[in-house]
Amino acid sequence: MCLASIYVGMLITNWTSASITTNELISNDFGFWVRITLSWATAFLYLWTLIAPRVCPERDFVVV
């Protein structure tokens, strides 16, 4: 689950623009903050999947 979260985060946050003249990838500030936000969001979701069964013991977390 952790590796899947990291992989999805990597796919979503590959926000760069290519420069035609220099053949370089240029990252902008918006893409940087999207990467930071999604990194924290995926980490939070992963940690919640580990903590939720102990925080809510009466709930059934088994997926069939």
Side-chain angles (χ1 to χ4, degrees), residues 39-57:
S39 296
W40 279 100
T42 54
F44 174 76
L45 287 174
Y46 174 69
L47 290 174
W48 178 248
T49 60
L50 297 176
I51 296 171
R54 295 187 189 253
V55 173
C56 305

Side-chain angles (χ1 to χ4, degrees), residues 5-46:
S5 299
I6 292 170
Y7 180 70
V8 169
M10 180 201 63
L11 288 177
I12 292 172
T13 60
N14 193 12
W15 289 15
T16 56
S17 58
S19 173
I20 296 173
T21 58
T22 62
N23 291 332
E24 294 179 355
L25 295 176
I26 301 166
S27 181
N28 56 12
D29 289 340
F30 180 72
F32 171 77
W33 287 110
V34 169
R35 278 187 224 111
I36 295 296
T37 304
L38 287 176
S39 296
W40 279 100
T42 54
F44 174 76
L45 287 174
Y46 174 69

